[in-house]
Amino acid sequence: MSLIHSVILPASYQCLSHHDYQVDIYRGDLEHATAPGNKWHKLQYHLKEARKRNATVIATFGGPFSNHLHAFAMTLKNLPFKAVAVVRGELQPQLTPTLRDAVECDVELWPSSRSDYRLETSSEVSSMINTLYENVYWIPEGGGGHLGALGCRDWADSIYHLDTEYDAWVISSGTGTTAAGLLAYDKAPDLHVFSALKGAAEQEGDIIELANRLIEKNVVEIGASEISCSKKLFFHDDCHEGGYAKQSKALKDFIQEFAIANPSSALDPVYTCKSMFAILTAIKKGIWPYSRTLFIHTGGLQGWRGYPSESNPFISSSETQSS
Ligand SMILES: *Cc1c(COP(=O)(O)O)cnc(C)c1O
């Protein structure tokens, strides 16, 4: 089964100019049955590092609907590590579907106050975990950092080899780790990054810095030629539609319309819906400068379980996400 599918432009997004657009979608949401999307890739080098350090426990952080926590639980389920997760906020007696899945995968959940949670590995709760267990390997929230980006660079390589002829790739961002990994891949075409967060302007610099660190390491280790990655990065911080996990009326309408044209290409409610909305709007206006675009789907369909079911027009495909 090919993981590259074409996107059908919804009726009201058909281009008004004569520009011929081809938009394809790399179905990252169909990879790795139980842990689809970018989070699986972000975990791979963290797991290698944990093995190298002979860790017995792997711990991480996440909110009650976190895609990272979900992928973490599903990926660690069959590995010989004890899995521990610090959850942002109090644990409600009625666990969210995401946390229920985590418990079913034998992840031990530790609630934390929002203020303590923000301190990450310097938090009180993480020092309690370090006291209780020996040799804990900590994965940052979202699976980020250098090792997370490295896994996404490998992902870029596998996507590139399916089809080398795209003029642009499109990716959604939260922390920017995935974008940095793709940007560090030398054969990546122009990379358009759409942030789901409000006020993320300074993230552009962080993405370039992280990508440059990966590239420099490659130059030293395998003699790869150094190329300027910042020229091919196009960072957009104006498509958050109200902020993280928020959906504007216009975005809600777009999701419904997109689903009618593309019922089997479900978008997630937090990230991919916003980046798809942004590029199809640019296409509609005739200002998208590329003929062949590859939209890289980062997964996250399990996140629909935090939204009213009537707001999800892809209902049957997200049902397959819940286990
Ligand atoms: C986490 C996530 C992102 C953002 O990835 P970053 O590496 O944090 O930028 C994008 N899309 C989906 C579906 C995600 O779950």
Side-chain angles (χ1 to χ4, degrees), residues 38-39 42 67 172-178 268 271-272 298-300:
N38 62 341
K39 298 300 188 289
K42 293 172 81 175
N67 293 331
S172 313
S173 86
T175 62
T177 311
T178 305
D268 86 290
Y271 298 95
T272 53
T298 41

Side-chain angles (χ1 to χ4, degrees), residues 133-296:
Y133 297 114
E134 262 172 65
N135 210 358
V136 181
Y137 179 82
W138 286 89
I139 298 178
E141 184 175 32
H146 181 90
L147 294 176
L150 215 48
C152 296
R153 191 179 61 187
D154 288 355
W155 196 27
D157 185 52
S158 67
I159 294 170
Y160 176 80
H161 283 104
L162 293 177
D163 188 330
T164 59
E165 300 295 316
Y166 289 101
D167 315 318
W169 282 358
V170 170
I171 191 81
S172 313
S173 86
T175 62
T177 311
T178 305
L182 300 186
L183 187 64
Y185 179 60
D186 55 352
K187 300 188 199 76
D190 280 4
L191 181 69
H192 281 259
V193 178
F194 294 89
S195 176
L197 309 175
K198 203 173 187 166
E202 73 288 349
Q203 198 182 84
E204 179 170 10
D206 299 342
I207 292 173
I208 292 170
E209 196 189 309
L210 184 50
N212 274 332
R213 262 198 282 150
L214 258 53
I215 292 166
E216 276 160 25
K217 208 158 174 285
N218 234 22
V219 169
V220 174
E221 285 173 6
I222 63 164
S225 58
E226 196 154 7
I227 44 146
S228 163
C229 66
S230 58
K231 281 203 199 79
K232 64 181 181 188
L233 173 66
F234 299 83
F235 183 77
H236 306 268
D237 63 352
D238 55 356
C239 59
H240 54 74
E241 297 300 316
Y244 185 76
K246 303 239 165 67
Q247 293 184 344
S248 64
K249 169 79 168 67
L251 177 64
K252 287 180 184 156
D253 291 347
F254 167 75
I255 293 171
Q256 299 293 328
E257 217 186 322
F258 182 87
I260 292 168
N262 303 275
S264 59
S265 293
L267 302 173
D268 86 290
V270 178
Y271 298 95
T272 53
C273 61
K274 294 179 182 178
S275 37
M276 186 63 86
F277 184 35
I279 64 162
L280 295 199
T281 301
I283 284 174
K284 174 184 184 168
K285 291 181 182 160
I287 56 170
W288 184 249
Y290 305 96
S291 302
R292 286 198 86 217
T293 303
L294 184 65
F295 181 98
I296 298 174

